[in-house]
């Protein structure tokens, strides 16, 4: 398996442009298939997944980072090193990813031109993939998604004009799927298979594979 478990530095991104893109890291899951270990605190590359995800989007060029917490959120707050991140609590996290997306979108800086939505359990996503999505947005895309061999994956970018629609369709575990399905012909697919891996980390077997590289 291609892997990217070299630690990503916590360097701030270069100065934001006039219309900054805000990163939205969804890290509220309880890790039911991981034996009840909150995904945010699962260790990868020597640190919690939530730290890794926040560092990736920063290094990729996002102007701000908002992290949505749910399961064991106080433990995450006290143990994860997330300097400069806005931490948002989602008390309804057990109801599915949709509530986390709604909570995160509501907490984004008002000046954000778009949200780069990053799932905490996709450690193979790299700063290079994030940078490509931001470039697509600068080129005019209001909806964009990383693609792997032509198939849509994560992360996704949602322009500010779609925030309300994305929130309205985010129920249960749907996340942004309702929005993306409604605007499938408007999505810019940004090929990232050469720089990233889309696989989720959902089970102990997944974690063993990622840890082994």
């Amino acid at each position: 398996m291609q892997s990217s478990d070299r630690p990503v530095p916590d360097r701030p991104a270069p100065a934001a442009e006039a219309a900054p893109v805000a990163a939205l890291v969804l890290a509220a899951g309880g890790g039911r298939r991981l034996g009840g270990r909150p995904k945010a605190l699962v260790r990868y590359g020597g640190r919690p997944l939530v730290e890794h995800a926040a560092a990736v989007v920063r290094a990729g060029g996002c102007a701000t980072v908002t992290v949505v917490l749910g399961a064991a959120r106080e433990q995450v707050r006290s143990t994860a090193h997330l300097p400069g991140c806005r931490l948002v609590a989602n008390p309804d996290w057990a109801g599915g990813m949709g509530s986390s997306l709604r909570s995160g979108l509501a907490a984004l800086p008002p000046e954000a031109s778009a949200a780069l939505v990053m799932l905490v359990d996709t450690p193979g996503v790299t700063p290079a993939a994030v940078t490509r999505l931001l470039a697509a947005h600068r080129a005019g895309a209001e909806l964009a998604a990383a693609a792997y061999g032509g198939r849509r994956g994560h992360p996704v970018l949602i322009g500010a004009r779609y925030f309300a629609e994305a929130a309205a369709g985010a129920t249960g575990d749907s996340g942004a799927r309702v929005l993306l399905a409604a605007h499938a012909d408007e999505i810019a697919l940004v090929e990232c298979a050469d720089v990233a891996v889309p696989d989720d980390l959902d089970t102990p077997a997944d974690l063993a594979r990622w840890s082994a590289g």
Side-chain angles (χ1 to χ4, degrees), residues 123-150:
V125 171
T126 62
V130 172
T131 298
R132 288 184 184 183
L133 286 175
L134 300 193
H137 179 57
R138 288 195 297 272
E142 291 295 321
L143 290 172
Y148 301 89

Side-chain angles (χ1 to χ4, degrees), residues 26 95-102 117 119 152 154 156 158 165-181:
L26 303 185
M97 189 190 303
S99 62
S100 289
L101 180 59
R102 293 196 306 273
V117 183
L119 305 183
R152 192 181 80 218
H154 292 282
V156 300
I158 302 172
E165 185 177 351
T171 59
D173 274 322
S174 65
R177 285 199 296 268
V178 172
L179 172 76
L180 298 178

Side-chain angles (χ1 to χ4, degrees), residues 13-91:
E17 298 183 356
V21 174
L24 177 53
V25 178
L26 303 185
R32 178 178 54 83
R33 288 192 286 166
L34 280 164
R37 285 184 291 173
K39 284 191 174 182
L41 293 177
V42 170
R43 297 194 71 80
Y44 171 76
R47 59 177 167 178
L49 277 176
V50 68
E51 289 184 14
H52 177 81
V56 166
V57 293
R58 279 191 185 279
C62 291
T64 64
V65 181
T66 297
V67 180
V68 181
L69 303 177
R73 58 184 176 270
E74 293 308 320
Q75 184 181 357
V76 177
R77 286 178 183 273
S78 63
T79 60
H81 183 61
L82 298 167
C85 295
R86 176 180 299 188
L87 305 183
V88 177
N90 174 20

Side-chain angles (χ1 to χ4, degrees), residues 147-194:
Y148 301 89
R151 297 186 63 180
R152 192 181 80 218
H154 292 282
V156 300
L157 181 140
I158 302 172
R161 62 182 286 193
Y162 292 108
F163 285 178
E165 185 177 351
T171 59
D173 274 322
S174 65
R177 285 199 296 268
V178 172
L179 172 76
L180 298 178
H183 299 278
D185 59 346
E186 301 170 43
I187 302 170
L189 293 180
V190 181
E191 188 58 48
C192 292
D194 59 322

